[in-house]
Amino acid sequence: MKVFKVFFSGLVLVMISAFTVNEITSGYEINDIATDFMLKNTDNKFVSLKDYKEAKGFIVVFTCNHCPYAVAYEDRIIALDKKYKKLGYPVIAINPNNPEVQEKDSFELMKVRAKEKGFTFPYLFDEGQKIYPQYGATKTPHVYILEKTKQGNQVKYIGAIDDNHSDASAVKVKYVENAVDALLENKEVAVKMTKAIGCSIKG
């Protein structure tokens, strides 16, 4: 019985340790340096952040085809790109979903969606689901604002686009716009993290 208790206690400790490690390494935190990536765009060309020589930073949005939350935000994501790309903060959209789990998020259907909506930004496929875990994205949409610094692309905001996913006309706080506006004015971002509202990423 004592052996069983010792074994059980050890097992619990291992499980707690594993959970703690997962919590610690579950993605980027504010001021972390985001590693670059090279992912395929819907035009079949590969895109990397280093391609954007003149950018001051990036609005990285994990999004997809099928999720109703992502669809509800598509026009707002296009508007963000149109407003901020010329100011140095282009949108980079990434589909993190596994098409074997959610067939509506296949690369071929990404091409269709990008054309239908007239996306003005790259819509990249996270093939093998290697990038979204690095960021710690859990939802579609999930936003990471990066600022170019001497150290690299520094994370300055993580979370939702705004405070009302269902009704763009009823939005009271535009988290992403406020964050980018602050960065453009060399100010501290007031609200650095919010809860991303959307569909769970399909693994």
Side-chain angles (χ1 to χ4, degrees):
M1 184 62 107
K2 283 184 177 179
V3 173
F4 176 77
K5 283 183 177 178
V6 171
F7 173 77
F8 182 76
S9 299
L11 184 62
V12 170
L13 283 172
V14 169
M15 289 175 69
I16 290 172
S17 298
F19 178 76
T20 305
V21 170
N22 284 339
E23 285 296 297
I24 293 171
T25 60
S26 60
Y28 295 135
E29 295 181 2
I30 298 302
N31 292 327
D32 281 354
I33 301 300
T35 54
D36 203 348
F37 48 73
M38 185 171 286
L39 299 174
K40 190 187 289 188
N41 190 13
T42 50
D43 61 2
N44 292 314
K45 295 178 181 178
F46 283 85
V47 172
S48 175
L49 298 181
K50 68 177 180 291
D51 298 334
Y52 293 77
K53 306 295 185 187
E54 304 302 318
K56 299 175 183 177
F58 305 92
I59 303 171
V60 177
V61 184
F62 290 91
T63 187
C64 67
N65 293 342
H66 88 279
C67 173
Y69 294 89
V71 172
Y73 271 112
E74 283 177 332
D75 289 338
R76 279 174 270 183
I77 295 170
I78 292 169
L80 283 171
D81 186 58
K82 287 182 176 178
K83 179 176 182 179
Y84 290 108
K85 181 162 54 182
K86 60 190 176 186
L87 298 175
Y89 279 84
V91 165
I92 309 291
I94 302 174
N95 172 18
N97 285 339
N98 181 352
E100 292 182 10
V101 177
Q102 176 47 260
E103 59 185 19
K104 292 180 181 177
D105 289 325
S106 71
F107 183 63
E108 291 307 313
L109 290 179
M110 285 173 61
K111 292 180 180 181
V112 173
R113 191 62 184 166
K115 188 174 182 179
E116 283 177 350
K117 289 297 296 184
F119 285 170
T120 56
F121 45 81
Y123 187 24
L124 311 179
F125 181 45
D126 187 6
E127 189 169 7
Q129 299 185 297
K130 296 174 183 176
I131 301 305
Y132 91 81
Q134 292 181 24
Y135 277 74
T138 59
K139 303 289 184 182
T140 52
H142 205 150
V143 181
Y144 292 75
I145 295 176
L146 312 179
E147 181 185 32
K148 269 192 184 180
T149 69
K150 291 180 180 178
Q151 292 74 37
N153 294 310
Q154 193 169 43
V155 179
K156 291 297 184 180
Y157 171 82
I158 302 171
I161 292 171
D162 55 44
D163 67 348
N164 196 319
H165 69 271
S166 60
D167 186 357
S169 65
V171 169
K172 293 180 181 177
V173 186
K174 297 181 177 181
Y175 302 122
V176 168
E177 289 198 29
N178 291 347
V180 178
D181 286 344
L183 293 172
L184 288 170
E185 295 172 11
N186 295 314
K187 295 179 180 177
E188 189 79 9
V189 175
V191 178
K192 296 178 175 64
M193 293 189 72
T194 60
K195 183 179 180 180
I197 304 296
C199 304
S200 297
I201 291 173
K202 305 301 184 286

